């Protein structure tokens, strides 16, 4: 500084009048680009998601497969037919050689695009209907476990202290076991069947959500608006559900999307291990279990690939699409979180 | 011959929103041992200029044209191998945020001696010895034991000192300091700046000091370049810039510095913000924010000229500015006035604290310290 | 905190978790209907009530739940996991004979995952958004989406039936024989694929994130060669996220081996567990479950320690 002021005194500028710029008419039509437009947070997430082609393909496939599962066979609720459409050419359980001129283990043809399995059933019909169990169990399980985990994690994170300590140690204990092994044992104890499978993945499935939620709550709890709400004397329950939960939910949504795929694989895996639905059921995993002996070549040395390829490909396609959606949701939410709109990264 | 000579440098970034003209047709030179300041708000292209000099611009950025002559050799035409032997060795860099510039998983000592081993071919023990010596030089107490500490065990000021030690480790000819004190407390800021200045003299190193803070420039530099929207708008020796600023943007920057004993009712800050470099205003980029702008400013883009003669700037011109006023295209002229008050009553305070006090206070002024918004 | 103290603290924290793991294991099997004795009784109406009581006593299934747990955990701690009802072999003996098979499979899967995933992840991050990156992302997405039992079946279909390189039904060599590596290929790939895909994704993301950090620019500004910057500076930072994932992946490999062993008829603990579940062999179920839980807790502990070794910041929390 000494250089500039030595003996020369202090500089003062006068006549730089900022108001002049504000008051005058703009000289050109150039305008400062205004930052974020006033659109809602979720609208922006959806806008971003919509631009993600991969995620949209995933969403389409999931929607189509779910619809096919619903409309494959009529749906009856307590003896009442609520959905009369039947897309599948044959009842999935029907043994075809009784009424039709087909034999077991026939490769795919025009009339049976995915072939005939070892019990003389139409594989195409079975694959169409086979998503019913896995897909619906996937959604049901995620809805239940997500809710439980959300509440559990919020309580743990919000109250902290020894409550948090105890609650999280319980989560640690549960997470010490692979979900599939826990589900196997639960099914082995309760027996197979639809609601047993739901229970198998629900009883312990909430633990990961709880841990995620707690982490988010801990982060958000320190935010000023939460502090302010608390300082103003808002009730705990109100603070949690009004201020914390809505902000902590994004990572849970991402996990939930991916979790649907995991549960679908899990249900199929149990079916494959003979622990899921009844052996003859048209469920993707159970079909693979039935088809396992088809791996051993038939009498003529022919390889009966269609029996295992199609049901498994259906699971693969569904789960892959679900993961594509999950990635898309993640990207959409992530960008939202960090405020990086349209950046090339991620 | 200048140590560093940048000619017509143009750098663009190809982003989703469009092409960002980060640096547009920029020329400047730095002499051996000279301290050169680059000033402007954030987004003016100062850091991009610095990175371009070291050829560290990465995709989606691209150096479109121009040359960067270092000791007469064009860095932009060198092989990767050659440029690497210059980086860290002959040109070194001090970063804005020392905490992020240090790798968290290696010790500070290792990160310094790594450079020494790489460029000077020292072995492990020699490099360690020199690193400790450097840490000591930059004022880290107990350097020997601090050598094996991790970055997170250092305070912010010490981290920046370590970065300076690292930069000086191979006796560079040019030290590029990119906002070296922005992330630091004001008290430490002054010390670090002094440290840089003394060391540069001691090591006979030229400095390119990038900052948004005119006070810092006044403290350290010999010559200054003011940048706006990727272009240089004024170049001058530091005293001339202060006592006789020619470009309205420079004037705006200076009038937004608060001063102790200032009796103006409020500060005159520059209205608005730096334009988005994807979509620059026509003509002079500064016109939407300039109180003296006229219709002609929206049409023609001013070139850097000698303000006395209005002739296009040459390398010999000491003081140049890019404003239509100096080519006679403005009708109303620039209505600002620089007064130098020589009041003897507070002269003492002034000489001691002058710009230092100003640099200390202006941290809270949004427009002068645009970078702080980041 | 020194590294040693950090490890000690983590070890102490593990003790209550292990206790909880044993409680969950026990509860899973005992809080639900269908213990093997009632099943035996149901299948064989000739069993008298006195005989049933005697059987229960023999298998430690009498008394209150709490007493049963105390007896069981006491026995477990002294190395006695009880007997297999069906064959009256000791459960411990079964564990010891099956364990090497599963370890061989899991280890192969892990090595396969790391060898494939780390270089691919690094490659993808460096060539972000170029063709190679896109291709590897699609492969990784498929990898985490493919059901392992189906992948196993498909590998058998292709490798054994179409190419004829493996013989599905043939007896294999002993587990310690070098030739074993050949037999491990298909099940090993099957068990390791999901882990490989996960590591690839995490590696790519964290590496790309690290590459954007300023210390990388600083390292370049120091004049270090790109290779060294990536292998020394960036890789170590990116590995931190992979290590965080490692414990989770160990769990996925353990769970995967249950399915994969069944697909490939691999005589390990996983297949044993499936058979035990079908046969209601509760001693065996409990032993394998407990073992799994312990193993994963230890894997977590190891990952935590590795994490602290890689990232000096952790030790000072």
């Amino acid at each position: 500084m000494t250089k500039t002021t030595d003996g020369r005194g202090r500089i003062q500028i006068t006549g730089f009048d900022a108001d002049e710029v504000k008051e005058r008419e703009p000289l050109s039509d150039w305008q400062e680009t205004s930052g974020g437009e006033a659109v809602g947070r979720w609208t922006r997430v959806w806008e971003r998601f919509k631009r993600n082609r991969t995620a949209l393909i995933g969403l389409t496939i999931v929607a189509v497969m779910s619809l096919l599962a619903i409309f494959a066979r009529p749906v009856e609720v307590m003896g009442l037919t609520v959905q009369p459409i039947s897309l599948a050419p044959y009842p999935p359980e029907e043994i075809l050689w009784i009424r039709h001129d087909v034999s077991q283990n026939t490769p795919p043809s025009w009339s049976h695009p995915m072939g005939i399995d070892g019990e003389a059933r139409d594989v195409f019909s079975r694959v169409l209907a086979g998503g019913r169990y896995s897909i619906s169990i996937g959604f049901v399980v995620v809805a239940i476990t997500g809710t439980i985990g959300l509440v559990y994690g919020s309580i743990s994170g919000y109250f902290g202290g020894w409550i948090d300590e105890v609650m999280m140690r319980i989560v640690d204990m549960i997470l010490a076991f692979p979900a599939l092994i826990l589900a196997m044992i639960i099914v082995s104890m309760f027996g197979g069947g639809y609601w047993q499978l739901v229970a198998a993945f629900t009883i312990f499935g909430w633990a990961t959500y709880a841990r995620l939620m707690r982490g988010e709550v801990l982060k958000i709890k320190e935010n000023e608006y939460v502090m302010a709400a608390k300082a103003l004397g808002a009730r705990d329950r109100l603070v949690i559900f009004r201020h914390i939960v809505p902000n902590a939910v994004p990572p849970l949504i991402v996990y939930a999307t991916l979790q649907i795929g995991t549960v679908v694989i899990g249900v199929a895996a149990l079916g494959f291990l003979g622990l899921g639905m009844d052996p003859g059921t048209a469920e993707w995993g159970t079909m693979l279990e039935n088809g396992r002996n088809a791996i051993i070549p038939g009498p003529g040395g022919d390889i009966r690939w269609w029996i295992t390829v199609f049901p498994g490909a259906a699971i693969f396609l569904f789960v892959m699409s679900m993961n594509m959606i999950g990635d898309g949701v993640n990207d959409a939410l992530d960008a939202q979180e960090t405020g990086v709109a349209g950046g090339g990264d991620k | 011959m200048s140590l560093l000579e940048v000619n017509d440098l143009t750098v663009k970034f190809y982003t989703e929103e469009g092409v960002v003209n980060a640096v547009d047709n920029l020329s400047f030179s730095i002499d051996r041992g000279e301290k050169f300041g680059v000033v402007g708000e954030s987004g003016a292209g100062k850091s991009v200029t610095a990175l371009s000099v070291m050829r560290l611009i990465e995709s989606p950025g691209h150096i479109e044209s121009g040359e960067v002559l270092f000791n007469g050799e064009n860095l932009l035409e060198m092989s990767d191998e050659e440029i690497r032997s210059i980086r860290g060795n002959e040109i070194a860099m001090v970063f804005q945020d020392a905490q992020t510039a240090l790798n968290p998983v290696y010790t500070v000592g290792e990160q310094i001696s790594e450079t020494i081993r790489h460029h000077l071919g020292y072995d492990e023990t020699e490099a360690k010895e020199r690193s400790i010596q450097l840490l000591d030089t930059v004022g880290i107490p107990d350097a020997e034991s601090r050598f094996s500490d991790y970055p997170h065990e250092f305070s912010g000021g010490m981290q920046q000192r370590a970065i300076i030690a690292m930069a000086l480790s191979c006796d560079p000819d040019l030290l590029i300091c990119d906002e070296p004190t922005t992330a630091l407390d004001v008290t430490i800021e002054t010390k670090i700046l002094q440290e840089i200045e003394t060391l540069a003299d001691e090591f006979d190193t030229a400095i390119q000091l990038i900052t948004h803070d005119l006070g810092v420039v006044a403290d350290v530099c010999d010559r200054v370049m003011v940048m706006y929207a990727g272009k240089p708008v004024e170049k001058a020796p530091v005293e001339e810039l202060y006592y006789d600023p020619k470009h309205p943007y420079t004037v705006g920057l200076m009038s937004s510095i608060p001063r102790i004993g200032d009796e103006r009712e409020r500060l005159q800050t520059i209205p608005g913000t730096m334009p988005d470099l994807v979509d620059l205003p026509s003509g002079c980029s500064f016109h939407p924010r300039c109180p003296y702008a006229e219709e002609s400013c929206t049409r023609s883009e001013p070139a850097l000229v000698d303000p006395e003669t209005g002739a296009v700037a040459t390398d010999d011109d000491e003081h140049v500015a890019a404003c239509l006023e100096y080519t006679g295209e403005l009708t109303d002229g620039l209505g600002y006035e620089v007064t130098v008050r020589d009041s003897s009553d507070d002269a003492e305070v002034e000489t001691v604290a002058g710009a230092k006090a100003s640099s200390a206070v202006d941290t809270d002024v949004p427009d002068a310290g645009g970078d702080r918004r980041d | 905190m020194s590294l040693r103290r950090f490890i000690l603290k983590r070890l102490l924290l593990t003790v209550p978790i292990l206790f909880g793991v044993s409680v969950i294991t026990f509860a899973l099997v005992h809080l639900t209907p269908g213990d093997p004795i009632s099943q035996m009784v149901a299948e064989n109406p000739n069993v008298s009530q006195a005989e049933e009581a005697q059987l229960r006593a023999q298998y430690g299934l009498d008394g209150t739940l709490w007493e049963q747990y105390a007896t069981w955990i006491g026995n477990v701690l002294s190395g006695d996991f009880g007997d297999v009802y069906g064959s009256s072999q000791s459960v411990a003996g079964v564990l010891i004979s099956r364990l090497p098979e599963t370890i061989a499979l899991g280890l192969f899967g892990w090595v396969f995952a790391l060898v494939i995933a780390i270089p691919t992840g690094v490659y993808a991050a460096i060539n972000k958004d170029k063709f190679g990156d896109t291709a590897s992302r699609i492969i990784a997405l498929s990898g985490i989406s493919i059901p392992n039992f189906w992948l196993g079946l498909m590998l058998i279909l292709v490798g054994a039936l179409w190419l004829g390189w493996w013989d599905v039904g043939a007896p294999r060599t002993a587990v310690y024989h070098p030739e074993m590596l050949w037999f491990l290929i298909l099940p090993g790939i099957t068990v390791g694929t999901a882990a490989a895909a996960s590591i690839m994704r995490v590696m790519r993301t964290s590496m790309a994130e690290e590459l954007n950090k300023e210390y990388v620019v600083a390292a370049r500004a120091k004049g270090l060669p790109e290779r060294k910057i990536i292998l020394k500076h960036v890789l170590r930072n990116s590995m931190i996220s992979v290590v965080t994932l490692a414990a989770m992946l160990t769990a996925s490999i353990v769970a995967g081996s249950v399915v994969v062993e069944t697909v490939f008829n691999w005589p390990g603990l996983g297949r044993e567990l499936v058979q035990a579940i079908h046969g209601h062999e509760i001693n065996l179920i409990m032993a394998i479950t407990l073992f799994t839980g312990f193993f994963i807790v230890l894997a977590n502990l190891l990952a935590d320690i590795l994490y602290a070794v890689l990232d000096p910041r952790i030790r000072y929390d």
Side-chain angles (χ1 to χ4, degrees):
Chain A
M1 188 59 216
T2 39
K3 284 189 281 239
T4 49
T5 45
D6 265 355
R8 292 185 66 176
R10 176 184 290 150
I11 310 160
Q12 185 165 8
I13 307 263
T14 45
F16 188 87
D17 190 5
D19 294 335
E20 200 155 313
V21 176
K22 289 170 200 150
E23 282 153 19
R24 74 176 177 216
E25 287 287 300
L27 291 166
S28 60
D29 48 11
W30 182 86
Q31 278 183 325
E32 256 177 60
T33 36
S34 52
E37 296 134 65
V39 284
R41 168 187 195 176
W42 296 104
T43 325
R44 257 182 295 159
V45 169
W46 171 239
E47 286 297 321
R48 255 192 82 79
F49 183 83
K50 266 199 315 199
R51 268 185 278 147
N52 186 334
R53 204 146 37 101
T54 326
L56 284 187
I57 295 175
L59 192 63
T60 315
I61 296 177
V62 165
V64 168
M65 288 182 86
S66 305
L67 289 177
L68 283 179
I70 293 173
F71 292 108
R73 301 297 302 161
V75 180
E76 278 182 27
V77 177
M78 289 183 290
L80 199 76
T81 309
V82 290
Q83 191 286 107
I85 300 165
S86 173
L87 292 176
Y90 302 94
E93 269 86 26
E94 190 186 357
I95 292 166
L96 295 182
W97 55 259
I98 299 174
R99 291 197 296 121
H100 303 267
D101 182 25
V102 292
S103 55
Q104 297 157 304
N105 296 320
T106 319
S109 61
W110 281 115
S111 49
H112 301 282
M114 291 185 186
I116 305 285
D117 72 3
E119 321 276 315
R121 294 171 298 203
D122 179 46
V123 177
F124 179 65
S125 303
R126 291 173 69 75
V127 167
L128 273 191
R132 288 190 160 185
Y133 305 98
S134 333
I135 296 176
S136 62
I137 291 174
F139 282 102
V140 171
V141 167
V142 166
I144 301 175
T145 52
T147 312
I148 299 175
L150 186 145
V151 173
Y152 189 100
S154 312
I155 294 174
S156 179
Y158 182 76
F159 290 105
W162 66 268
I163 300 180
D164 179 43
E165 195 63 29
V166 171
M167 288 178 91
M168 279 303 120
R169 288 299 82 76
I170 293 174
V171 168
D172 284 346
M173 289 164 194
I174 294 172
L175 292 179
F177 298 97
L180 184 70
I181 290 183
L182 290 176
M184 276 168 69
I185 296 170
I186 294 171
V187 169
S188 79
M189 295 299 153
F190 285 123
Y194 189 89
W195 291 105
Q196 285 87 337
L197 284 172
V198 170
F201 288 96
T202 307
I203 293 179
F204 295 108
W206 50 270
T208 311
Y209 292 98
R211 182 181 272 184
L212 264 177
M213 188 68 193
R214 170 188 175 263
E216 287 305 306
V217 169
L218 282 187
K219 264 191 259 165
I220 292 166
K221 206 167 79 168
E222 301 308 320
N223 276 354
E224 278 162 30
Y225 56 85
V226 175
M227 298 278 199
K230 273 172 110 173
L232 290 172
R235 284 214 314 276
D236 285 337
R237 210 176 31 170
L238 195 78
V239 175
I240 292 182
F241 287 102
R242 198 63 168 279
H243 299 279
I244 294 186
V245 169
N247 290 292
V249 150
L252 251 71
I253 294 178
V254 175
Y255 183 73
T257 324
L258 301 173
Q259 179 71 2
I260 293 175
T262 314
V263 173
V264 167
I265 289 194
V267 169
L270 289 186
F272 177 77
L273 295 173
L275 294 167
M277 311 299 293
D278 290 336
T281 317
E283 186 274 321
W284 292 334
T286 313
M287 287 168 71
L288 283 175
E289 205 271 322
N290 295 159
R292 259 172 77 198
N293 42 14
I295 279 296
I296 297 149
D302 53 333
I303 300 163
R304 296 169 299 204
W305 53 272
W306 58 92
I307 297 174
T308 46
V309 165
F310 293 114
I315 308 173
F316 181 33
L317 187 65
F318 182 84
V319 177
M320 178 118 170
S321 310
M322 217 59 232
N323 285 333
M324 277 150 72
I325 299 176
D327 280 2
V329 172
N330 188 37
D331 287 355
L333 287 172
D334 225 10
Q336 210 275 316
E337 291 290 277
T338 54
V340 186
D345 284 337
K346 185 80 202 180
Chain B
M1 184 177 62
S2 305
L3 176 68
L4 179 79
E5 205 180 316
V6 173
N7 294 322
D8 306 323
L9 182 72
T10 299
V11 183
K12 290 185 175 169
F13 281 74
Y14 297 87
T15 67
E16 275 178 32
E17 286 85 28
V19 181
V20 178
N21 301 292
V23 170
D24 192 7
N25 218 3
L26 175 80
S27 303
F28 65 92
S29 63
I30 301 177
D31 286 332
R32 200 164 277 278
E34 188 186 25
K35 301 183 188 70
F36 183 75
V38 180
V39 183
E41 289 164 287
S42 74
K46 298 166 299 176
S47 296
V48 175
T49 311
L51 291 172
S52 312
V53 167
M54 295 190 91
R55 232 173 82 189
L56 286 171
I57 294 293
E58 272 187 86
S59 168
H62 186 241
I63 299 177
E64 298 285 306
S65 58
E67 48 179 20
V68 177
L69 301 175
F70 183 72
N71 282 325
E73 281 184 87
N74 191 350
L75 297 183
L76 302 184
E77 279 168 5
M78 284 186 171
S79 69
D80 287 352
E81 190 82 24
E82 286 169 319
I83 184 83
R84 270 203 301 271
S85 70
I86 288 190
R87 286 181 197 152
N89 192 11
E90 289 168 55
I91 307 179
M93 193 152 173
V94 174
F95 291 86
Q96 173 172 352
D97 187 355
Q99 197 184 348
T100 59
L102 288 164
N103 188 336
V105 303
Y106 289 101
T107 61
V108 172
E110 164 61 20
Q111 295 183 58
I112 300 174
S113 46
E114 172 182 53
T115 325
I116 300 171
R117 291 199 305 267
H118 181 69
H119 287 299
L120 307 179
Y122 283 27
D123 67 23
E124 200 89 30
T125 11
E126 289 169 335
K128 180 173 177 178
E129 229 164 78
R130 185 172 162 86
S131 308
I132 293 173
Q133 203 187 322
L134 280 160
L135 284 172
D136 192 52
T137 313
V138 296
I140 289 177
D142 202 6
E144 185 135 16
S145 69
R146 296 303 246 164
F147 177 87
S148 41
D149 276 358
Y150 287 95
H152 67 268
E153 297 169 78
F154 274 48
S155 69
M158 293 231 280
Q159 287 173 343
Q160 193 56 287
R161 283 168 198 269
I163 289 277
I164 294 169
M166 196 181 297
L168 291 174
S169 61
C170 302
D171 267 329
D173 291 331
L174 175 63
L175 190 62
I176 301 177
C177 302
D178 187 358
E179 307 261 8
T181 54
T182 309
L184 300 177
D185 287 344
V186 211
T187 43
I188 302 165
E189 171 170 41
T190 326
K191 282 191 206 143
I192 294 280
L193 282 175
Q194 278 168 349
E195 198 79 57
I196 291 177
E197 213 182 338
T198 351
L199 288 170
D201 289 337
E202 194 179 308
F203 285 66
D204 193 26
T205 303
I207 290 185
Q208 181 184 339
L209 178 68
I210 293 163
T211 178
H212 59 268
D213 187 338
L214 277 170
V216 167
V217 168
D219 249 358
V220 178
C221 298
D222 306 322
R223 274 195 311 131
V224 191
M225 169 169 74
V226 180
M227 283 183 80
Y228 187 80
K231 283 178 273 246
V233 291
E234 185 164 2
K235 281 190 265 187
V238 78
E239 286 201 30
E240 277 194 48
L241 188 85
Y242 277 81
Y243 289 97
D244 190 15
K246 292 293 186 195
H247 195 279
Y249 179 60
T250 316
V251 174
L253 281 180
M254 286 175 63
S255 70
S256 56
I257 300 176
R259 266 150 234 252
I260 294 171
D262 203 328
E263 61 267 12
R264 282 178 301 175
E265 267 180 27
R266 59 194 182 91
L267 287 169
Q268 288 299 342
T269 54
I270 309 177
T273 53
M274 174 84 74
D276 185 352
L277 295 176
V278 176
D279 174 31
L280 283 176
S282 60
C284 173
S285 312
F286 188 57
H287 85 253
R289 302 174 68 189
C290 180
Y292 319 114
E294 294 173 12
E295 209 270 328
S296 55
C297 297
T298 65
R299 276 184 281 108
S300 46
E301 192 182 333
L304 272 176
V305 296
D306 182 335
E308 303 299 324
T309 60
V312 174
T314 64
D315 288 349
D316 301 328
D317 288 321
E318 281 273 270
H319 194 164
V320 294
C323 179
L324 294 180
E325 164 73 6
Y326 306 111
T327 47
E329 286 167 76
L330 292 191
T331 45
D332 294 343
L334 306 175
Y336 63 87
E337 214 175 304
V338 182
T339 45
V340 180
R341 290 189 314 125
D342 195 17
S343 47
S344 47
D345 49 0
D346 60 3
E348 281 248 335
V349 186
E350 209 176 296
T351 14
V352 184
K356 244 168 228 164
S358 75
S359 72
V361 182
D362 84 351
T363 42
D364 291 321
V365 178
D367 270 328
D371 286 53
R372 282 173 224 281
R373 278 193 300 264
D374 295 3
Chain C
M1 199 188 325
S2 72
L3 195 56
R4 192 182 307 168
R5 272 196 59 198
F6 175 83
I7 295 173
L8 208 68
K9 198 180 136 201
R10 293 293 304 138
L11 265 172
L12 283 175
L13 279 176
T14 307
V15 175
I17 305 271
L18 290 180
F19 171 74
V21 163
S22 75
V23 171
I24 292 181
T25 306
F26 185 83
L28 264 178
V29 180
H30 286 82
L31 292 180
T32 45
D35 79 58
I37 308 298
S38 28
Q39 204 148 25
M40 251 185 244
V41 177
E43 280 163 18
N44 189 350
N46 297 336
V47 179
S48 71
Q49 270 196 345
E51 280 170 317
E52 189 185 332
Q54 196 211 331
L55 276 170
R56 282 184 189 284
Q58 193 184 333
Y59 288 111
L61 294 171
D62 52 350
T64 64
L65 265 181
W66 174 244
E67 283 166 359
Q68 288 185 33
Y69 173 76
T71 320
W72 175 69
I73 196 74
N75 288 342
V76 164
L77 287 175
S78 61
D80 175 15
F81 291 89
D83 292 332
V84 180
Y85 309 118
S87 64
S88 59
Q89 267 181 297
S90 83
V91 169
V94 174
L95 284 187
I96 290 167
S97 69
R98 297 305 189 202
L99 188 58
E101 301 277 354
T102 297
I103 290 182
L105 183 60
L107 213 58
F108 190 98
W110 247 124
V111 171
F112 166 78
L114 290 175
V115 166
I116 295 287
I118 292 186
T120 324
V122 171
Y123 172 84
I126 296 173
N127 298 289
K128 205 155 171 272
D129 297 325
K130 293 192 188 141
F131 175 75
D133 174 39
T134 313
S136 70
R137 282 176 78 185
I138 294 171
I139 293 170
L141 192 67
S142 316
I144 58 164
S145 309
I146 200 163
N148 50 9
F149 44 95
W150 186 61
L151 176 64
L153 288 175
M154 293 303 103
L155 286 179
I156 293 175
L157 203 63
V158 174
L161 299 188
W162 280 346
L163 299 173
W165 292 353
W166 286 270
D167 191 345
V168 214
R172 328 155 330 183
T173 42
V175 74
Y176 300 110
H177 197 277
E179 227 179 86
M180 192 61 178
L181 281 176
W182 177 250
F183 293 98
L184 268 169
I185 291 177
L186 294 188
I189 290 177
T190 313
V191 102
T193 295
S198 305
I199 298 175
M200 239 157 102
R201 281 159 63 92
V202 167
M203 194 72 205
R204 174 184 178 275
T205 316
S206 71
M207 187 107 183
E209 206 169 282
E210 291 296 327
L211 277 171
N212 275 332
K213 292 211 172 146
E214 194 157 58
Y215 74 81
V216 178
V217 185
R220 289 197 184 116
K222 286 201 275 185
L224 299 181
E226 200 61 24
R227 219 183 123 77
K228 189 165 189 183
I229 294 173
I230 285 171
L231 294 183
K232 181 178 173 183
H233 287 272
V234 183
L235 193 60
R236 180 154 166 192
N237 279 292
S238 327
M239 285 305 283
I240 293 171
S241 340
V242 174
V243 168
T244 326
L245 185 77
M248 234 175 76
L249 292 180
T250 308
S252 104
I253 285 184
V254 169
S257 68
V258 172
V259 177
V260 174
E261 285 178 3
T262 307
V263 177
F264 288 89
N265 215 5
W266 193 264
L269 279 182
R271 195 189 66 167
E272 200 64 45
L273 177 63
V274 175
Q275 288 169 354
I277 284 175
H278 280 292
H280 281 267
E281 290 285 355
I282 60 169
N283 281 346
L284 201 50
I285 295 176
M286 285 200 293
I288 297 177
T289 312
L290 186 69
F291 189 79
T292 310
F294 267 49
F295 181 74
I296 291 174
V297 169
L298 292 182
N300 269 309
L301 180 69
L302 205 67
D304 271 357
I305 293 172
L306 201 54
Y307 190 44
V309 169
L310 278 176
D311 188 349
R313 287 166 295 184
I314 294 304
R315 289 173 238 162
Y316 294 85
D317 275 354

